[in-house]
Every structure is written in C-alpha cells, then in structure tokens.
C-alpha cells in the first residue's frame, strides 16, 4: 500500500456498539464529504473487531459504495462489540492495521462506550506506535508519518442517552417505531376497554418513554430520572381509575426498561400489570417492544441531521491536530454543534451515578431544559382530568384552526382544550376558522371530546384558508361578543398569522378584539417568522421522503430522471430538507430561482451521469421555484435533452403532504406550544391584559413574542421569514450529491 502524499489526508469511518437508524446516512455523509475535501476515505467493517482483524475489513470507500444506503436501517458497514479491543494487545493490533494503511484520522459512530474506546486509542497512540517500532512491526519512518491519532465522534444510540447532544442518531426513528406501536395498541385497547403497558428501551434515560407517552397520549409514564416514591401503586391506580371514570375506554402506561422507584426497586412491566389487575380488576396486557425500536428506515430527521453531522465530523477531523481536544458532533437547539468528547462521556456517566446516588433533581437537570419541561408538561396533561379544576374564575377561551392542514394541529388543540378546562376555563371550539366564528358555529368543548386527537391527521375543528377582509371584521367582532370570548388560541400557518395581525391592527376600531390572542405555528411549509419549526413540517417531510423512497424503488428498473414537486409556497424548506433526506442530486428553490444557465449545467450533468451508468437522477423542486420553468417544463426539457439515455417523470405530491398521521415530533411540538400558550393566555386574563402574541421555538426554546416583534421578522411579500436559518444547509446537499467539488459543477 503506497503511503499518501503529505498533503493527502487519510481517514476512516466506523460504526460500533448497538446499531441505530441514521448510521448509514452518517457514513454516506462522511465518505462523500471526505472525497469532496480530496481526502482518502476508508470504511472499517464490523466495528472494533474489524479494526483488530484488519486486512479486508478496512478498505477504501468510494462515492458509489455509499449510494442507495440513505434509506436503510442498521449499518451497512456492520458493528460489533469487541472484548479484545478492551485489552491493550487488541488496541496494538488496531494501531498496526491503521498505520499500515496510512490512516491516522478516525470518525467513530457509536455510543459512549465506543467513543471512550476511541479516546483511549488516541491517548495510547504514541506508546503503541513505539511498541510497534520496538518489536519491528513498523519502521521508524512509518511511525514518524503518524505521530498522533485524530478522532471525532458521532453519537449513534437510539436511547438518546448522551449528554452533549440534544439528539443522538437513531432516537427519532426509534420514537417513530414506538409511537406507531402505541397508535396500533390504542385502537385495539379501546375496542376491548383494556389497559396496556408498553415497555420501551432506555436503561438510564427515559427519553423514549417520556416522548412516546406524550406523543401517544399515554396516561402514565415511568422514567429512571424521575422515579416515583415507593407506594406509587396507589397513585397509579387512582390515576387510571380517574381516567376510566372520565370516559376513556383504554389506558396506556409507558415504562422505560430502566424504570425503578426512588429507592431503586425495579419497576417491572409485569408487576404493573399485576397491580392493575389485582387492584382495579383491569384487563391488562404487556407489550415489550424490544428490537422493533432499532428497526425500519431512518426518519427524515435522522437522515438529514446525520448527514449534517457526518459533514461536520469530516471538517472537524480533517482540521484536527495532535493537540486538538477531541469532540463529538451532535445537535444543540436544532443545529449541528460540537462538544468535548470526554467531557460528554464523563457527564453521561455522572448522570448514571446521580441516579445511583438518588439525586434525581440534578439528574433531570443534566438532561437539559426541554426534557425537564416536557416531563412537567406530561404531568400537567395527564392530571388534567374532569372534576379536577385549578381555579374558579371562569373565562371563555376559544380555540380555532386557520389556513391549510398541518398534521399535529389536533394534538395542539387537544392539549389547549384539556389544559384550559383544567384551569377552570370554559373552552369553546370554533368550527371552520373565522367564518365559523362569524356564523356562530361555536361549541362548548368537554374533556372527552378530544379523546384520540393526538394521533389524528386532519383538523377536527375544521379549517379554512380564508383570511378575513376588513369587511369580515365586524362579523368576527360580533361573534366574539356574542359568545363572550375572553381569549383566542389560533392554530395555523401564514393565513392565521395574517388574520391575527389584521385583527391586532384594527383593535382600536373593534372593542371585541381587545382580548388576548395567541397564534401557534402550524404549517407544513415551515414559513412562519416567529418559529424555527412549525407543527406539521416534520410529518410532511417524512411523507415526502417516504414517497421519494418509493419513487426510487419503482424507478430503479428503468433509467429515469424524476422531478419531485413539493409544496411550500415561496418557502423552500420542504424541498431542501426533502432533497437532503431523500438523496436528491439537485433541488430547485424559490429563494434561488432557476436560470437557463443552471438548467444547461444540470442537463449536462444528468446526461453524463446516465452515460456513466447511473440509473436514476432525483430532482426535488419547490412548487414555486420558478414561474416559467415549472416541474412540467423541467420534465419535458430533461426528456428532450436526454439523448435517449433516460426518460423523465414528474411526481407532484400535492395535498397528500398535508395529510396523514402526525409524526411524533409534530405531536410533541404541538403539545409543548399549546401548553405554553394556555399558560400565557391564562396569565393575560388573570392580569386583565389583552396582548396579541405569537408563540414558537427559537434556538430550541419556546418563546412568546408580541405581534409587533413578529411583524418585523416577516417577509410579507413572499410569505416567509426574512431570515431562513435552514438555507445554511444548502451547500451540504451539493457536497453529498456531487462527485466533483461544488465549484466545478455550479
Ligand atoms: P450502546 O449505547 O449501543 O451500548 P456503546 O458504544 O456504548 O453503544 P459498548 O458495548 O459500550 O457500546 O461499546 C462498544 C465497543 O466499544 C465495545 O465492545 C468495546 O470494543 C469498545 N469499548 C467500549 N468501552 C471501552 C473502553 N472503556 N475501552 C476500550 N474499548 C471500549
């Protein structure tokens, strides 16, 4: 094996420990980014075991080797647990194999164990190299070429158990599997009036249990960081009895596999079943989800975030020197971020020690603000039962949807309604948006009316896109007065924002508008200026990515170029993220437009790629990317210029993108925002204030801002935010999709 020239850096990527969906997109991104930076990239097969075995287990990876793996679960380069790597003798063999191939940079994708192992290898590197020289296994020249090992970690673990990253690779997909299971179980449980106990993975981390309990509308959850005191059986039974007395036909209890009480007595699913059967006479069944949670295709989030992380990991490891403190590349506040590797591992171990020492408050704090917050939110929702009211002053709050459909709207409405009732308010459901309010289609909502809404697509309260004109305002004002409405919760997209904005501007002319109003962002377009993410966008993205997978499969038999058209209006979020998660070669966005020059370059690339043996060319176009070069036009152009090498097909997903079951993320976001919105509106009413506000997430935290602030963040003409954070991801798609350095192709 010829050593690389001094300028040519050589790195390797490996997966280790338990597999997780999203590892393949990360491997793909590492390989392609390395090639983009003109580095040599190797894949190590079967984790540390392969590293120790060497030979064919460590081989160069090409651009095409990682084609077609983006949508595959597990890890195509294999993973293993290796006892031998825990021994110095094993690590000596590993170093020998690496230097023989001229590799001294490593991207390791795995859990805290795998990352600790990598760091140990890094720390021992020079002494292991010396030993190899002394024993004549390598010569001094080889040793001198590799004075240090540079490592970067990506955290692959479905449990989301690592401190230093908000999300580990695989956790979102595992949550999809669990919530799908809870949805299925709920329907059968309700048919038979049964209770179900669902056990999910998570030895020290209750993330999967807590989030699936929120998304699945469960009644009780057991997580290791917030254990109940001994004697919890009484509380559980009282809670389940109350739920049944409220008219719910089933109950769901979610248990993390590491659940225990505050005295460290394990809480076992079977024991919970026994308690419910013995004390309440409930027909109770246990479902232990096990490896199903690791399976299936990675979610859209796991594909796009792992791709971004793989990209960042290569930049990090290539720029590292012997003195660089190794990092993990993770996620913080919805952006790729790095954290010191060993500090993250140490904090992760510290959390387990805190639980062992019964210091649960600190353990929960270490998990981060949103985890703690969502643990409180779950507690509030599960205790918001009829007959338990927090206050006596009754205000009348109306909830309505406005705009296009967005999956997760129902989850938000359900939480707003139940928490509102719990606070002692009268909650009115307005059917059919503002027109319904004007026409008096208003109904008093009861606790049981929203049963099962968290998993339902569509809009149970009805919806209309109509933005009130100045002429409609009088009727809306009268509707507000007739029903004595003291506060308004508006769930919707740009139309909702614009309607609320109009009412805010006209408040001096209409006394009825001087009530607190709050807008929750719900739009698949993700185009609202007051929230980085809106309810519905993640579900739409998953649907588009699933459709791209199907199109890919169907098209693989022929040589074909596809133009997949996504919704989004003038906002390219869906198109770009779907392109990144679906492995598109090219995306067209309204923000960038399409020029004739672009098209000529793209056609040339397309023809070249088919000539080189490619069977498929995937293009994702935003519906408004260009008024002239429509998807239809693009298709005809590609076909015309195909030189008979391929044909072209248009796939317009249309309204399907607004339908379907909401994703776990959208249900959780809807829940979180609705809980905060209800707090805000109750406070406003208590203080006799009448602000107009919007609520969303900024930098991962929930933020309420005034209509005046939101107004300034909006690009009113294009109906999108002035600043679109996700445009920073644009170059990554180009790197992952193209064989040549970007500047040579664009
Ligand atoms: P998961 O979260 O899925 O368990 P993990 O990476 O933590 O993933 P481990 O079994 O702890 O999984 O580690 C995987 C491999 O990493 C081990 O089999 C071993 O080869 C190596 N490894 C783990 N910890 C160490 C260590 N302290 N020293 C050396 N090698 C280690």
């Amino acid at each position: 094996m010829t050593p690389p020239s001094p300028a040519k850096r050589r790195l390797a990527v490996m997966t280790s420990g338990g597999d997780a969906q999203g590892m393949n997109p990360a491997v793909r991104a590492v390989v392609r980014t390395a090639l983009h930076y003109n580095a040599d990239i190797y894949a190590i097969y079967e984790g540390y075991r392969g590293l120790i075995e060497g030979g064919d287990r460590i081989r160069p990876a090409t651009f095409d080797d990682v084609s077609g793996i983006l949508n595959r679960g597990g890890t195509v380069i294999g993973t293993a647990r290796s006892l031998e790597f825990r021994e110095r003798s094993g690590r000596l063999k590993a170093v020998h194999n690496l230097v023989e191939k001229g590799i001294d940079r490593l991207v390791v994708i795995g859990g805290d164990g795998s990352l600790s192992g990598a760091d140990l290898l890094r720390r021992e590197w020079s002494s292991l190299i010396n030993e190899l020289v002394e024993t004549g296994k390598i010569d001094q020249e080889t040793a001198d070429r590799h004075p240090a090992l540079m490592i970067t970690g990506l955290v692959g673990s479905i449990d989301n158990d690592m401190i230093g990253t908000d999300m580990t690779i695989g956790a979102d997909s595992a949550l999809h599997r669990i919530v799908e299971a809870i949805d299925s179980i709920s329907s059968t449980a309700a048919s038979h009036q049964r209770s179900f106990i669902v056990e999910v993975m998570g030895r020290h981390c209750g993330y999967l249990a807590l989030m699936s309990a929120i998304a699945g509308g469960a009644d009780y959850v057991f997580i290791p960081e917030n254990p109940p005191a001994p004697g919890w059986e009484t509380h559980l039974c009282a809670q389940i009895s109350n739920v049944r007395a409220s008219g719910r036909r089933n109950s769901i209890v979610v248990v993390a596999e590491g659940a225990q009480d505050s005295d460290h007595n394990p809480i076992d699913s079977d024991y919970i079943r026994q308690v419910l059967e013995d004390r309440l006479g409930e027909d109770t069944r246990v479902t232990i989800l096990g490896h199903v949670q690791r399976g299936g295709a990675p979610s859209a989030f796991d594909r796009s975030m792992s791709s971004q992380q793989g990209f960042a990991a290569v930049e990090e490891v290539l720029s590292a020197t012997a003195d660089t403190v190794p990092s993990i590349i993770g996620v913080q506040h919805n952006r790729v971020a790095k954290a010191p590797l060993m500090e993250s591992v140490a904090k992760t171990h510290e959390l387990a020690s805190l639980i062992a020492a019964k210091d649960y408050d600190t353990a929960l704090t270490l998990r981060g603000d949103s985890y703690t917050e969502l643990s409180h939110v779950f507690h509030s929702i599960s205790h918001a039962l009829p007959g338990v009211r927090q206050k006596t002053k009754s205000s009348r709050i109306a909830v309505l949807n406005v705009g296009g459909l967005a999956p997760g709207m129902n989850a938000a409405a359900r939480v707003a309604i139940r928490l509102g009732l719990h606070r002692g308010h009268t909650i009115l459901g307005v059917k059919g948006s503002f027109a319904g309010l004007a026409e008096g289609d208003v109904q008093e909502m009861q606790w049981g009316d929203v049963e099962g809404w968290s998993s339902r697509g569509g809009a149970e309260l009805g919806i209309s896109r109509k933005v009130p004109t100045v002429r409609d305002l009088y009727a809306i004002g009268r509707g507000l007065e007739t029903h004595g409405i003291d506060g308004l919760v508006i769930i919707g997209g740009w139309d909702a924002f614009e309607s609320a904005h109009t009412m805010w501007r006209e408040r001096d002319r209409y006394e009825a508008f001087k009530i607190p109003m709050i807008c929750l962002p719900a739009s698949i377009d993700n185009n609202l200026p007051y929230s980085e993410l809106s309810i519905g966008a993640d579900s739409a993205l998953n649907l588009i990515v699933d459709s791209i997978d199907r199109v890919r499969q169907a098209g693989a038999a022929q040589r074909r170029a596809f133009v997949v058209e996504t919704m989004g209006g003038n906002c390219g979020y869906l198109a770009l993220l779907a392109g990144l998660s679906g492995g598109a070669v090219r995306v067209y966005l309204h923000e960038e437009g399409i020029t004739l020059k672009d098209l000529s370059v793209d056609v040339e690339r397309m023809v070249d790629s088919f000539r080189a043996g490619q069977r498929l060319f995937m293009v994702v176009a935003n519906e408004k990317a260009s008024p002239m070069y429509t998807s239809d036009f693009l298709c005809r152009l590609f076909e015309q210029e195909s030189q008979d090498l391929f044909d072209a097909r248009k796939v317009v997903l249309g309204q399907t993108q607004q339908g379907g079951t909401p994703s776990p993320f959208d249900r959780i976001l809807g829940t979180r925002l609705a809980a905060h919105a209800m707090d805000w509106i109750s406070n406003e009413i208590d203080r006799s204030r009448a602000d107009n506000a919007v609520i969303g997430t900024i930098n991962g935290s929930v933020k309420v801002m005034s209509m005046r602030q939101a107004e300034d963040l909006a690009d009113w003409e294009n109906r999108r935010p002035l600043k679109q954070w996700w445009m920073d991801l644009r170059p990554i798609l180009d790197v992952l999709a193209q064989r040549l350095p970007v500047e040579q192709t664009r």
Side-chain angles (χ1 to χ4, degrees), residues 281-292:
E282 282 276 322
D283 180 5
T284 309
R285 306 293 160 100
V286 173
T287 299
I288 298 176
L289 290 177
H291 280 80
V292 166

PDB file of all heavy atoms in Angstrom, residues 281-292:
ATOM      1  N   GLY A 281     -59.023  -4.629  38.827  1.00  0.00           N
ATOM      2  CA  GLY A 281     -59.725  -5.612  38.007  1.00  0.00           C
ATOM      3  C   GLY A 281     -59.647  -5.269  36.527  1.00  0.00           C
ATOM      4  O   GLY A 281     -60.524  -5.648  35.744  1.00  0.00           O
ATOM      5  N   GLU A 282     -58.591  -4.526  36.148  1.00  0.00           N
ATOM      6  CA  GLU A 282     -58.433  -4.127  34.741  1.00  0.00           C
ATOM      7  C   GLU A 282     -57.906  -5.297  33.913  1.00  0.00           C
ATOM      8  O   GLU A 282     -56.981  -5.996  34.343  1.00  0.00           O
ATOM      9  CB  GLU A 282     -57.394  -3.008  34.638  1.00  0.00           C
ATOM     10  CG  GLU A 282     -57.901  -1.649  35.018  1.00  0.00           C
ATOM     11  CD  GLU A 282     -58.602  -0.952  33.874  1.00  0.00           C
ATOM     12  OE1 GLU A 282     -58.159  -1.086  32.729  1.00  0.00           O
ATOM     13  OE2 GLU A 282     -59.616  -0.283  34.137  1.00  0.00           O
ATOM     14  N   ASP A 283     -58.455  -5.464  32.726  1.00  0.00           N
ATOM     15  CA  ASP A 283     -57.904  -6.430  31.782  1.00  0.00           C
ATOM     16  C   ASP A 283     -56.648  -5.769  31.209  1.00  0.00           C
ATOM     17  O   ASP A 283     -56.732  -4.785  30.468  1.00  0.00           O
ATOM     18  CB  ASP A 283     -58.958  -6.682  30.686  1.00  0.00           C
ATOM     19  CG  ASP A 283     -58.477  -7.685  29.663  1.00  0.00           C
ATOM     20  OD1 ASP A 283     -57.389  -8.249  29.846  1.00  0.00           O
ATOM     21  OD2 ASP A 283     -59.207  -7.891  28.667  1.00  0.00           O
ATOM     22  N   THR A 284     -55.480  -6.251  31.592  1.00  0.00           N
ATOM     23  CA  THR A 284     -54.234  -5.535  31.268  1.00  0.00           C
ATOM     24  C   THR A 284     -53.280  -6.420  30.468  1.00  0.00           C
ATOM     25  O   THR A 284     -53.105  -7.595  30.795  1.00  0.00           O
ATOM     26  CB  THR A 284     -53.538  -5.087  32.583  1.00  0.00           C
ATOM     27  OG1 THR A 284     -54.483  -4.399  33.382  1.00  0.00           O
ATOM     28  CG2 THR A 284     -52.361  -4.178  32.317  1.00  0.00           C
ATOM     29  N   ARG A 285     -52.686  -5.867  29.444  1.00  0.00           N
ATOM     30  CA  ARG A 285     -51.724  -6.621  28.626  1.00  0.00           C
ATOM     31  C   ARG A 285     -50.391  -5.871  28.591  1.00  0.00           C
ATOM     32  O   ARG A 285     -50.364  -4.650  28.677  1.00  0.00           O
ATOM     33  CB  ARG A 285     -52.231  -6.769  27.192  1.00  0.00           C
ATOM     34  CG  ARG A 285     -53.618  -7.357  27.066  1.00  0.00           C
ATOM     35  CD  ARG A 285     -53.639  -8.809  27.513  1.00  0.00           C
ATOM     36  NE  ARG A 285     -54.994  -9.247  27.847  1.00  0.00           N
ATOM     37  CZ  ARG A 285     -55.762  -9.954  27.035  1.00  0.00           C
ATOM     38  NH1 ARG A 285     -55.312 -10.299  25.848  1.00  0.00           N
ATOM     39  NH2 ARG A 285     -56.973 -10.320  27.405  1.00  0.00           N
ATOM     40  N   VAL A 286     -49.328  -6.655  28.434  1.00  0.00           N
ATOM     41  CA  VAL A 286     -47.989  -6.046  28.372  1.00  0.00           C
ATOM     42  C   VAL A 286     -47.428  -6.217  26.959  1.00  0.00           C
ATOM     43  O   VAL A 286     -47.536  -7.292  26.378  1.00  0.00           O
ATOM     44  CB  VAL A 286     -47.038  -6.750  29.378  1.00  0.00           C
ATOM     45  CG1 VAL A 286     -45.606  -6.248  29.214  1.00  0.00           C
ATOM     46  CG2 VAL A 286     -47.507  -6.538  30.812  1.00  0.00           C
ATOM     47  N   THR A 287     -46.852  -5.158  26.411  1.00  0.00           N
ATOM     48  CA  THR A 287     -46.131  -5.269  25.135  1.00  0.00           C
ATOM     49  C   THR A 287     -44.707  -4.746  25.350  1.00  0.00           C
ATOM     50  O   THR A 287     -44.528  -3.591  25.729  1.00  0.00           O
ATOM     51  CB  THR A 287     -46.808  -4.417  24.035  1.00  0.00           C
ATOM     52  OG1 THR A 287     -48.122  -4.909  23.856  1.00  0.00           O
ATOM     53  CG2 THR A 287     -46.060  -4.502  22.721  1.00  0.00           C
ATOM     54  N   ILE A 288     -43.744  -5.636  25.139  1.00  0.00           N
ATOM     55  CA  ILE A 288     -42.338  -5.201  25.249  1.00  0.00           C
ATOM     56  C   ILE A 288     -41.814  -5.037  23.825  1.00  0.00           C
ATOM     57  O   ILE A 288     -41.763  -6.003  23.066  1.00  0.00           O
ATOM     58  CB  ILE A 288     -41.518  -6.238  26.051  1.00  0.00           C
ATOM     59  CG1 ILE A 288     -42.107  -6.324  27.474  1.00  0.00           C
ATOM     60  CG2 ILE A 288     -40.037  -5.852  26.097  1.00  0.00           C
ATOM     61  CD1 ILE A 288     -41.495  -7.361  28.368  1.00  0.00           C
ATOM     62  N   LEU A 289     -41.483  -3.814  23.471  1.00  0.00           N
ATOM     63  CA  LEU A 289     -41.211  -3.550  22.056  1.00  0.00           C
ATOM     64  C   LEU A 289     -39.851  -4.073  21.567  1.00  0.00           C
ATOM     65  O   LEU A 289     -39.700  -4.417  20.416  1.00  0.00           O
ATOM     66  CB  LEU A 289     -41.350  -2.059  21.747  1.00  0.00           C
ATOM     67  CG  LEU A 289     -42.792  -1.567  21.804  1.00  0.00           C
ATOM     68  CD1 LEU A 289     -42.861  -0.069  21.555  1.00  0.00           C
ATOM     69  CD2 LEU A 289     -43.666  -2.291  20.784  1.00  0.00           C
ATOM     70  N   GLY A 290     -38.866  -4.125  22.426  1.00  0.00           N
ATOM     71  CA  GLY A 290     -37.570  -4.721  22.057  1.00  0.00           C
ATOM     72  C   GLY A 290     -36.956  -4.185  20.776  1.00  0.00           C
ATOM     73  O   GLY A 290     -36.986  -2.975  20.514  1.00  0.00           O
ATOM     74  N   HIS A 291     -36.429  -5.104  19.959  1.00  0.00           N
ATOM     75  CA  HIS A 291     -35.614  -4.698  18.816  1.00  0.00           C
ATOM     76  C   HIS A 291     -36.379  -4.023  17.692  1.00  0.00           C
ATOM     77  O   HIS A 291     -35.756  -3.433  16.809  1.00  0.00           O
ATOM     78  CB  HIS A 291     -34.819  -5.893  18.297  1.00  0.00           C
ATOM     79  CG  HIS A 291     -33.602  -6.140  19.124  1.00  0.00           C
ATOM     80  ND1 HIS A 291     -33.665  -6.798  20.320  1.00  0.00           N
ATOM     81  CD2 HIS A 291     -32.322  -5.751  18.954  1.00  0.00           C
ATOM     82  CE1 HIS A 291     -32.456  -6.827  20.865  1.00  0.00           C
ATOM     83  NE2 HIS A 291     -31.620  -6.197  20.044  1.00  0.00           N
ATOM     84  N   VAL A 292     -37.698  -4.101  17.737  1.00  0.00           N
ATOM     85  CA  VAL A 292     -38.501  -3.373  16.745  1.00  0.00           C
ATOM     86  C   VAL A 292     -38.062  -1.901  16.727  1.00  0.00           C
ATOM     87  O   VAL A 292     -38.036  -1.253  15.684  1.00  0.00           O
ATOM     88  CB  VAL A 292     -39.996  -3.461  17.153  1.00  0.00           C
ATOM     89  CG1 VAL A 292     -40.848  -2.472  16.393  1.00  0.00           C
ATOM     90  CG2 VAL A 292     -40.499  -4.870  16.950  1.00  0.00           C
TER      91      VAL A 292
END
